[in-house]
Amino acid sequence: PDALRAAIDGGADAVYLGGGSFHARMHADNFGTQEALTDAISLAHFWGVKVYVTLNTMVYDRELDAALAQAEQAARAGADALIVADAGLASQLRLALPDLPLHASTQMDNRTAGKVKFLADAGFRQVVLARELSLEQIRKIHETVPQTPLEVFVHGALCVSYSGQCYVSQHCFGRSANRGECAQFCRLAFDMVDAD
């Protein structure tokens, strides 16, 4: 909530935030109740700020109903779009909430023009590119698929892995980065030791 207010005060025209589950920042202070989510979106909309609710982790089959319920909660609260990482969930969302725009999360590993075109053809209205792309790579993607709105990160965490393709946190700490529980392994101090 403090970060949301700071973003609004700072002049953001859109923010993204997580609800109770199924988002990439499970250990952050999020908007887990209908009331909290509705209040957050109402505050943002009062100031003309769009709100994109994140469902940007992989979802197990047994969790699909809960993820759909959370998406419906976001829709009732007035979300402007959902940022989604799981293609199976996205297909279910198109059936359950056909009027709510979907954005393809960076966790879908969006680093080629072909992938962006595929996602646009699949109904995603905006694509969040992989954080690891250079300006030249972003330019080439845009030139190839100019009709698809692209979102890029210009500040924030940058992993040593490609977005949506990290398995190190799970291997070392039992916390899946692809399930919103990244242990921030890439931010630890390391010493490089060679044969000598």
Side-chain angles (χ1 to χ4, degrees):
D2 291 341
L4 173 63
R5 284 188 287 279
I8 293 169
D9 290 345
D13 61 1
V15 296
Y16 64 92
L17 52 86
S21 302
F22 311 112
H23 56 82
R25 298 292 179 264
M26 290 298 295
H27 297 287
D29 187 12
N30 296 292
F31 302 91
T33 67
Q34 181 73 54
E35 181 181 6
L37 191 59
T38 300
D39 289 349
I41 293 173
S42 294
L43 174 68
H45 285 173
F46 177 81
W47 293 104
V49 176
K50 291 184 179 182
V51 177
Y52 306 138
V53 175
T54 56
L55 291 165
N56 57 347
T57 62
M58 299 296 105
V59 177
Y60 293 128
D61 290 347
R62 66 180 180 274
E63 299 170 327
L64 189 55
D65 288 341
L68 289 170
Q70 189 166 316
E72 289 167 356
Q73 179 184 38
R76 282 193 307 276
D80 295 288
L82 299 175
I83 302 175
V84 181
D86 189 291
L89 174 60
S91 67
Q92 294 297 308
L93 289 170
R94 273 192 215 76
L95 296 172
L97 301 166
D99 296 327
L100 188 58
L102 300 182
H103 295 186
S105 170
T106 185
Q107 289 300 109
M108 292 185 100
D109 191 31
N110 308 321
R111 52 191 159 110
T112 68
K115 179 73 174 273
V116 171
K117 183 178 182 333
F118 170 82
L119 291 168
D121 290 345
F124 286 94
R125 294 201 196 162
Q126 184 163 302
V127 176
V128 186
L129 294 178
R131 293 178 291 257
E132 302 78 21
L133 297 177
S134 68
L135 287 174
E136 181 61 19
Q137 290 168 313
I138 293 167
R139 183 184 65 75
K140 286 181 181 177
I141 291 171
H142 172 66
E143 288 175 350
T144 305
V145 285
Q147 70 285 0
T148 303
L150 304 175
E151 180 180 332
V152 297
F153 286 81
V154 294
H155 175 71
L158 182 63
C159 186
V160 297
S161 181
Y162 278 102
S163 298
Q165 298 293 314
C166 181
Y167 304 100
V168 175
S169 179
Q170 175 68 37
H171 175 75
C172 293
F173 301 103
R175 292 175 49 183
S176 174
N178 300 316
R179 299 268 300 154
E181 297 183 334
C182 182
Q184 307 293 318
F185 179 80
C186 52
R187 295 181 185 188
L188 300 177
F190 289 90
D191 293 320
M192 186 166 163
V193 179
D194 64 15
D196 298 321

